[in-house]
C-alpha cells in the first residue's frame, strides 16, 4: 500500500466549510468510499494547519492506476458536497504532491470501514 501527502491551500475562513464536508463524510461514509474505490485510492487522514493549508494523506495499491478521466465515475451523493467545498475553498492551482510516504498502519480503514484489497 502506497501513501502520498498532498497539500492544498484553502481560502481564509474555509474551516467551517471543511467541517461541513467532514460532517457529511462521517454521516455518509459509504458515498465517498464508493467513489474512492472507483478512482483507485482513498483518503486516510486530513490535517488543517493554522495557516489554512489542508494536508491529505492518500493511500492506493498503485498510484499509477488511479482514474484520471472522471467521465466514467459513477457519482454518489458525496460528489456535489465535495465539488461545492472545492469550488468555494480551494485556492486555484495550489494542489501540491509533497512526497511519497510509507505508513506502518496496515489496517486500511476508512472511517471505521475496512477497505477491500
Amino acid at each position: 500500500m502506497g501513501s502520498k501527502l498532498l497539500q492544498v491551500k484553502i481560502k481564509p475562513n474555509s474551516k467551517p466549510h471543511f467541517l461541513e464536508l467532514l460532517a457529511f463524510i462521517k454521516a455518509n461514509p459509504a458515498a465517498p468510499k464508493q467513489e474512492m474505490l472507483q478512482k483507485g485510492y482513498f483518503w486516510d487522514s486530513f490535517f488543517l494547519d493554522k495557516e489554512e493549508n489542508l494536508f491529505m494523506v492518500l493511500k492506493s495499491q498503485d498510484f499509477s492506476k488511479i482514474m484520471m478521466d472522471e467521465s466514467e465515475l459513477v457519482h454518489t451523493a458525496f460528489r456535489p458536497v465535495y465539488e461545492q467545498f472545492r469550488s468555494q475553498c480551494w485556492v486555484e492551482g495550489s494542489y501540491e504532491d509533497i512526497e511519497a510516504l510509507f505508513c506502518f498502519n496496515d489496517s486500511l480503514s476508512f472511517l471505521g470501514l475496512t477497505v477491500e484489497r
Side-chain angles (χ1 to χ4, degrees):
M1 178 62 58
S3 298
K4 283 190 176 192
L5 177 63
L6 305 176
Q7 177 183 8
V8 177
K9 179 79 176 159
I10 58 175
K11 297 173 185 173
N13 303 313
S14 291
K15 186 174 182 177
H17 300 291
F18 176 64
L19 295 176
E20 288 175 19
L21 175 66
L22 289 182
F24 178 86
I25 291 171
K26 287 178 182 179
N28 305 282
K33 180 183 176 188
Q34 178 59 33
E35 287 198 24
M36 288 181 219
L37 284 172
Q38 292 177 69
K39 294 175 91 175
Y41 69 87
F42 69 97
W43 291 339
D44 180 70
S45 309
F46 293 107
F47 304 90
L48 187 61
D49 72 9
K50 63 183 175 185
E51 296 176 16
E52 299 199 14
N53 289 294
L54 176 62
F55 294 91
M56 299 177 281
V57 176
L58 275 65
K59 292 190 177 181
S60 177
Q61 290 287 28
D62 185 352
F63 281 105
S64 69
K65 295 182 179 177
I66 287 179
M67 177 189 285
M68 298 304 283
D69 177 9
E70 294 187 6
S71 65
E72 295 182 18
L73 182 67
V74 177
H75 291 202
T76 68
F78 169 70
R79 182 59 31 186
V81 175
Y82 172 69
E83 290 297 341
Q84 180 177 358
F85 168 75
R86 200 164 81 169
S87 67
Q88 286 179 334
C89 300
W90 285 30
V91 173
E92 190 171 334
S94 69
Y95 182 94
E96 183 180 356
D97 187 351
I98 303 292
E99 63 181 86
L101 300 174
F102 178 79
C103 183
F104 293 100
N105 176 2
D106 196 38
S107 67
L108 307 178
S109 60
F110 176 74
L111 295 174
L113 299 174
T114 302
V115 176
E116 296 175 17
R117 296 186 197 205

